[in-house]
Amino acid sequence: MAHAAAPPRPLVAILRGVTPDDVVAIAEAVLAAGISQIEVPLNSPDPLESIAKLAAALAGRALCGAGTVLSVADVEAVHAVGGRLIVTPNTNPAVIVRSAALGMTTLPGFATATEAFEAIAAGAAGLKLFPASSYGPAHLKALKAVLPKTVPVLAVGGVGPANIAEWVAAGADGFGLGSDLYAPGRTAADVGARAAAIVAAFDGVRALSTG
């Protein structure tokens, strides 16, 4: 009997600063390590070209798109080149509504309960506590007491293998990984090894928390 595919880990690789020449090799290394959601922030060099390359190379294997999305025009540009993931640093209902209308997965940034519920009402697929390091796990724990359990919350900003456990204990469902994973100049092999370490830490903590 065939087994259903496991759902993707709630981990997003943030490839800030990646170039179109390097993006596919880096993304393939990340995907091989077990992270299948990948964003190219729009303040990276030629981000739409990179996203187009990812959409073509990883079609059916990963959810790829853009981070640092600030406007409806950004959403439409990302959609036009094949991106299907929209990650924002803030809560902009117009961006979320347009993304949802285009069938895209949106993870908007938030800091307060007000922003979280505005994002959910607009159609957010999940929420991104950002910058997580500025607020801390106690802030997330308090928010999780009132947020719908069906809406995943990812902690982004200052999160890595060393502190994943305390964030999971506070209620984080997943993470966005930036400089702990990728920085311009790192090789695909280096990024792949970092991704594997993050996945191992996340899987280990999640197994303990659900076991």
Side-chain angles (χ1 to χ4, degrees), residues 159-192:
V159 179
N163 59 3
I164 280 176
E166 64 179 308
W167 281 103
V168 170
D173 299 293
F175 302 94
L177 293 313
S179 58
D180 268 319
L181 176 64
Y182 176 78
R186 286 182 186 155
T187 66
D190 183 9
V191 176

Side-chain angles (χ1 to χ4, degrees), residues 80-139:
V81 298
R84 295 297 180 264
L85 174 65
I86 294 292
V87 184
T88 78
N90 62 330
T91 302
N92 182 334
V95 165
I96 301 166
V97 168
R98 185 59 178 148
S99 301
L102 290 171
M104 304 170 85
T105 298
T106 311
L107 300 173
F110 84 105
T112 67
T114 297
E115 291 172 341
F117 283 105
E118 284 181 351
I120 293 167
L127 300 170
K128 163 189 164 181
L129 178 63
F130 178 79
S133 58
S134 297
Y135 297 100
H139 181 70

Side-chain angles (χ1 to χ4, degrees), residues 6 14 20 26 30 34 56-57 69 79 86 92 97 106 108 113 123 145 148 182 185 192 197 200-202:
I14 304 168
I26 296 292
V30 167
V69 176
H79 186 270
I86 294 292
N92 182 334
V97 168
T106 311
Y182 176 78
F202 177 73

